[in-house]
């Protein structure tokens, strides 16, 4: 074998190995200097996920180079493809995707001359090889028509959380990429935004994502040596954070300086230490304090039973009713009078109101003939009437009237829920209901708003609020003989507090 053959074989080995090929690329650093690309540990983790061909979802802190490694991967895919594939990149700003395409074009122009190939297109919106016709195109997510006019093998949604109408964008992207690979990476924007919803689906196993989260402290550059003339004394919350995540003094000092520069709220969103911190409630959220609350992870199944009926207990049921046509959910929430906690939840978006009444009766009977509160609207009336037809009579009413949700009563039921959470009376909430509650906001007029970004219409949160109202009308006779003395005092105090007996 000749020397030239050896060289060609060595080159082929490098080109076909994504790790070797990408490590040979050159990038422009923050100072504008051309330098060898040396992937970080986080970038290698992202590359490993991308190479599986799975759909990849990334929640990142700022400036860890996720865009650079995704761009490098896409360039390798394009360079090694023998087919006329199309790769698409979308971002919420056209300038952003133009920059990404410029980065990919730069990878090619800085290759050794012998490895550069002829291009038929190389502009701000398309990069295309002349021989294979393989191409990368970019578009703003805001553009009219967007990605409706083409199909692609790989689709990259950059900074997805900041896109306008992201749910529609994601649906359209799914059609465009079909059986190909989708890549979504973004910093956090706000609780229950489209990116966060995909993360929650991935965590619940509802979506086929390879999900990657990178807390800021995993990035080696996020640390600052403490100057000799600076006396840095950590506050108690900083000490707790340092101990929990085993952070160095240099990392904590970097964190302190960054918070001083950009503020606490922006820091936790752009440099989160955990997923919860990235999406913690801020601004105009209705309920901000969950310090007394334990979140119980649950799967999206019809019936979730935390505890069976106790013959010595009494129960309250709140029911939010939907049409049962695959949109909003009908939800049954059951609470214990003794503990104040959820004991059972039923959720379905396919059960008709008449059949829902049978499900309510079945569960109510199981839980010691529980008192039931159902909103008396068009769908709720069907359930109430059917329950009465079935002979179930332990229904909530006030002065002979069923519950009717108005602006005033809506505020009342959510205030009851808010107080129950703040006081610790309701100290355990399932993860699906908790997500809905955390998404509630208050507008400038003080009205409680259920955001359109929810998959449902906060049906679990509404049902839980109705159950809290219903629980106030449930009496627990002989309480003193059922509980230890120290629990008796606290429970009696809580159950007889005026905050549970105020009426709307």
């Amino acid at each position: 074998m000749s020397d030239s053959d050896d060289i060609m074989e060595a080159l082929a080995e490098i080109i076909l190995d994504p790790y070797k090929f990408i490590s040979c690329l050159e990038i422009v650093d923050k100072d504008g200097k051309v330098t060898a690309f040396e992937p970080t540990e986080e970038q290698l983790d992202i590359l490993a996920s991308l190479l599986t061909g799975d759909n990849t979802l990334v929640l990142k802190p700022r400036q860890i180079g996720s865009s650079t490694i995704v761009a490098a991967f896409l360039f390798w895919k394009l360079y090694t493809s023998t087919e006329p594939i199309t790769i698409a990149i979308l971002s919420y700003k056209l300038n952003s995707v133009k920059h990404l395409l410029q980065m990919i074009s730069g990878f090619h122009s800085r290759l050794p001359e012998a490895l550069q190939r002829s291009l038929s297109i190389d502009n701000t919106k398309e990069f295309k090889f002349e021989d294979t016709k393989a191409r990368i195109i970019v578009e703003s997510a805001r553009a009219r028509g967007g990605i409706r006019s083409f199909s692609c093998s790989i689709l990259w949604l950059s900074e997805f959380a900041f896109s306008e109408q992201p749910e529609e964008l994601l649906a359209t992207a799914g059609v465009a990429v079909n059986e190909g690979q989708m890549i979504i990476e973004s910093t956090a924007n706000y609780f229950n935004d489209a990116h966060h919803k995909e993360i929650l689906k991935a965590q619940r196993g509802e979506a086929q994502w390879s999900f990657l989260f990178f807390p800021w402290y995993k990035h080696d550059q996020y640390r600052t040596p403490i100057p000799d003339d600076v006396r840095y004394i950590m506050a108690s919350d900083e000490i707790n954070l340092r101990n929990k995540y085993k952070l160095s003094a240099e990392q904590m000092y970097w964190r302190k300086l960054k918070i001083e520069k950009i503020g606490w709220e922006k820091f936790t969103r752009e440099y989160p230490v955990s997923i919860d911190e990235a999406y913690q409630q801020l601004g105009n959220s209705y309920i901000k304090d969950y310090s007394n609350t334990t979140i119980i992870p649950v799967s999206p199944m019809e019936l979730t039973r935390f505890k069976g009926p106790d013959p010595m207990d009494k129960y309250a049921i709140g029911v939010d009713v939907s049409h049962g046509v695959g949109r909003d959910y009908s939800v049954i929430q059951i609470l214990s009078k003794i503990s104040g906690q959820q004991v059972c939840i039923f959720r379905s978006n396919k059960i008709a109101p008449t059949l829902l009444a049978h499900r309510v009766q079945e569960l109510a009977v199981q839980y010691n003939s529980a008192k039931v509160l159902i909103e008396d609207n068009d769908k709720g009336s069907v359930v109430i009437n059917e329950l009465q037809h079935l002979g179930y009579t332990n229904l909530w009413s006030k002065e002979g009237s069923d519950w009717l949700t108005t602006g005033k009563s809506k505020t009342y039921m959510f205030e009851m829920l808010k107080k129950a959470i703040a006081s610790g009376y309701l100290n355990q909430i399932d993860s699906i209901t908790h997500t809905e509650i955390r998404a509630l906001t208050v507008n400038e007029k003080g009205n409680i708003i259920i955001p359109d970004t929810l998959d449902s219409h906060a049906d679990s949160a509404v049902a839980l609020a109705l159950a809290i109202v219903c629980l106030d009308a449930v009496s627990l006779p002989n309480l003193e003989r059922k509980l230890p003395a120290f629990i008796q005092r606290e429970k009696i105090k809580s159950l007889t507090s005026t905050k549970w007996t105020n009426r709307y």
Side-chain angles (χ1 to χ4, degrees), residues 144-173:
R144 289 188 175 274
I147 54 176
R148 296 179 185 276
S149 58
F150 64 84
S151 59
C152 54
S153 301
I154 304 175
L155 179 62
W156 176 16
L157 298 177
S158 179
E159 289 296 354
F160 172 63
F162 299 88
S163 304
E164 293 180 0
Q165 299 181 318
E167 285 85 359
E168 180 180 349
L169 173 63
L170 186 59
T172 307

Side-chain angles (χ1 to χ4, degrees), residues 79 168 182 188 207 291 488 502 504:
Y79 191 89
E168 180 180 349
M182 189 180 298
S291 57
Q488 291 176 26
N502 291 334
Y504 64 89

Side-chain angles (χ1 to χ4, degrees), residues 461-481:
V462 170
L464 184 60
L466 292 173
I468 287 287
V469 173
C470 187
L471 194 64
D472 184 45
V474 174
S475 60
L476 191 62
N478 302 320
L479 178 67
E480 296 182 2
R481 290 193 290 113

Side-chain angles (χ1 to χ4, degrees), residues 142-423:
R142 298 176 178 177
R144 289 188 175 274
I147 54 176
R148 296 179 185 276
S149 58
F150 64 84
S151 59
C152 54
S153 301
I154 304 175
L155 179 62
W156 176 16
L157 298 177
S158 179
E159 289 296 354
F160 172 63
F162 299 88
S163 304
E164 293 180 0
Q165 299 181 318
E167 285 85 359
E168 180 180 349
L169 173 63
L170 186 59
T172 307
V175 173
V177 78
N178 196 10
E179 297 299 318
Q181 183 178 15
M182 189 180 298
I183 305 164
I184 295 180
E185 50 86 30
S186 184
T187 49
N189 189 7
Y190 60 88
F191 184 86
N192 211 57
D193 64 20
H195 191 228
H196 188 209
K197 287 166 70 173
E198 293 306 310
I199 291 171
L200 293 174
K201 289 178 183 177
Q203 291 179 319
R204 295 195 298 257
E206 296 177 35
Q208 297 301 311
W209 288 111
S210 173
F211 171 56
L212 301 172
F213 167 64
F214 298 100
W216 66 263
Y217 61 84
K218 292 291 187 181
H219 193 52
D220 285 339
Q221 294 185 16
Y222 292 158
R223 59 186 73 227
T224 301
I226 303 173
D228 294 336
D229 59 345
V230 172
R231 188 185 180 194
Y232 174 36
I233 301 175
M234 297 183 197
S236 59
D237 61 327
E238 292 177 296
I239 293 172
N240 292 337
L241 182 72
R242 179 181 180 179
N243 292 338
K244 182 176 181 179
Y245 295 102
K246 297 179 174 57
L247 306 181
S248 68
E250 289 77 13
Q251 287 175 309
M252 294 302 299
Y253 190 59
W254 175 88
R255 175 181 178 272
K256 175 181 181 296
L257 295 179
K258 201 69 177 180
I259 290 174
E260 288 176 354
K261 183 177 180 179
I262 66 175
W264 166 252
E265 291 189 6
K266 190 174 182 181
F267 178 84
T268 54
R269 186 173 67 248
E270 297 190 354
Y271 301 93
V273 74
S274 66
I275 297 173
D276 284 342
E277 183 175 89
Y279 294 104
Q280 65 182 327
Q281 276 300 318
L282 303 167
N284 62 341
S285 56
Y286 177 60
I287 300 178
K288 297 183 176 70
D289 183 9
Y290 296 92
S291 57
N292 296 319
T293 309
T294 299
I295 310 305
I296 310 299
V298 296
S299 301
M301 52 199 303
E302 270 201 353
L303 187 67
T304 302
R305 197 186 298 268
F306 298 111
K307 188 177 180 181
D310 180 347
M312 304 299 288
D313 203 352
K314 296 290 184 180
Y315 299 91
I317 295 178
V319 184
D320 187 61
V321 186
S322 76
H323 287 288
V325 291
R327 295 179 182 176
D328 289 348
Y329 282 75
S330 288
V331 181
I332 304 169
Q333 294 268 14
I334 308 178
L335 299 179
S336 157
K337 185 67 175 182
I338 289 179
S339 68
Q341 308 309 310
Q342 294 170 301
V343 294
C344 187
I345 309 164
F346 173 85
R347 294 185 180 92
S348 174
N349 62 353
K350 296 179 180 178
I351 188 169
T354 302
L355 294 177
L356 179 65
H358 291 256
R359 201 71 169 107
V360 171
Q361 183 201 36
E362 176 188 346
L363 290 170
V365 170
Q366 287 179 19
Y367 283 89
N368 303 346
S369 297
K371 186 174 287 293
V372 179
L373 192 162
I374 304 168
E375 180 184 10
D376 186 13
N377 56 17
D378 57 339
K379 306 178 294 292
S381 298
V382 174
V383 179
I384 292 171
N385 291 336
E386 183 65 17
L387 275 172
Q388 291 172 336
H389 176 73
L390 293 170
Y392 196 83
T393 59
N394 193 15
L395 303 178
W396 181 96
S397 67
K398 179 193 173 187
E399 298 176 356
S401 298
D402 297 315
W403 176 274
L404 184 63
T405 300
T406 62
K408 186 176 179 180
S409 64
K410 176 184 176 183
T411 299
Y412 170 75
M413 73 180 191
F414 278 126
E415 278 295 297
M416 290 279 281
L417 177 60
K418 184 177 183 178
K419 291 175 181 177
I421 292 170
S423 67

Side-chain angles (χ1 to χ4, degrees), residues 3 27 52 96 136 158 170 216 224 249 254 304 316 329 344 398 421 432 440 444 449 456 495 500:
D3 290 343
I27 60 172
T52 65
S96 298
I136 293 181
S158 179
L170 186 59
W216 66 263
T224 301
W254 175 88
T304 302
Y329 282 75
C344 187
K398 179 193 173 187
I421 292 170
I432 295 175
L440 300 175
E444 62 279 0
I449 305 299
S456 64
L495 292 171
W500 306 118

